[in-house]
Amino acid sequence: FNLLRMADLDIPSLVQSALLPLVPFLLGPSTLPTLLSPPSVPSIASIIDHTVLSPLASSSDVSRACADASAHGFASVCIPPFYVPLASSLMSGTNGRVCTVVSFPNGYCSTRTKAHEASCLVSDGADEVDMVCNVPLLRRVASAPTGEDVDLWCEDVLAVCEAAGEAGVKCIIEAGALTDFEVATASLLFREARHRSAARGCKPPEFIKTSTGFNGYGGATVKDVSIMAFCVRESGGKVKASGGVGSGEQARRIVEAGAERIGASKGVKIV
């Protein structure tokens, strides 16, 4: 699997260096993940979250995105929270899901606020919620981990999972703003949150997601997806690549790196 050693980056060694400082604070696996082959994807269209998250998005834009998602067999349409009831109505009777965002795009909201937002959005008809994680807290864990901070980061995720019920939860880490070491740390924390969900009695977070596509930090890269997939796939977690994927060739390379969902505003062009 050549992606494990790319651009002079040895991903297993990177992940091992991120894992060791976390071990004293983990309740779940504390060993290096086992390498799994890239996932089998039935079709690119079936894993695309067709995205309309512009702050200027109109109801017409959302309606068009829902029509495109239905026509092309996209996994979901990802739209602003305000439009969840509209999208839920338009996607009813189709195989497409309604995805929206929580604490977007900065992730600064308190855990309690994120959980309340998720609960309201699921009640409005959302099938999936993409939450922005607490990035400053993540970076603090990466630089000097403590049990308290690891617990706080996992609680931020699990409170949303609990509030979302059976809806799928994706965790956005804003990988473009992070170092490789921090991406690995975030992915290992996601793996830990998945483990803790069993004791919490809630559905585990399903996807770790690269980016919001906002804030100028850049989008998904093959390197980030490779690191994330190596860390989480053994635990049953998946990777969503979002931001900057605008062609079929880019989508193919991202999938080969381990992504099992793609967030893109250019879904029609990609397929």
Side-chain angles (χ1 to χ4, degrees), residues 86-98:
L86 171 62
S88 180
S89 174
L90 293 172
M91 297 300 287
S92 177
T94 75
N95 292 325
R97 298 165 68 81
V98 175

Side-chain angles (χ1 to χ4, degrees), residues 49 51 53 78 101 104-106 130-133 135 170-178 183 207-222 224-225 228 239-245 254 261-264:
D49 287 345
T51 303
L53 287 174
C78 185
V101 289
F104 190 88
N106 295 318
D130 291 15
M131 65 169 290
V132 183
C133 296
V135 177
K170 308 187 197 85
C171 304
I172 307 171
I173 64 170
E174 206 65 279
L178 305 178
V183 171
F207 286 87
I208 182 170
K209 177 178 172 181
T210 56
S211 321
T212 62
F214 285 68
N215 298 321
Y217 292 125
T221 67
V222 167
D224 288 337
V225 169
M228 294 159 69
V239 177
K240 175 177 175 178
S242 186
V245 182
I254 286 292
R261 190 74 67 89
I262 294 172

Side-chain angles (χ1 to χ4, degrees), residues 9 15 38 66 73 75 78 83 93 99-100 145-146 158 174 178 185 210-211 226 236 256 271:
L9 176 63
V15 174
C66 289
C78 185
Y83 292 117
C99 173
T100 192
T146 66
L158 292 177
E174 206 65 279
L178 305 178
T185 299
T210 56
S211 321
S226 299
E256 287 179 350
V271 300

Side-chain angles (χ1 to χ4, degrees), residues 50-70:
H50 192 42
T51 303
V52 180
L53 287 174
S54 165
L56 301 180
S58 67
S59 57
S60 296
D61 295 328
V62 171
S63 297
R64 188 179 309 111
C66 289
D68 288 340
S70 179

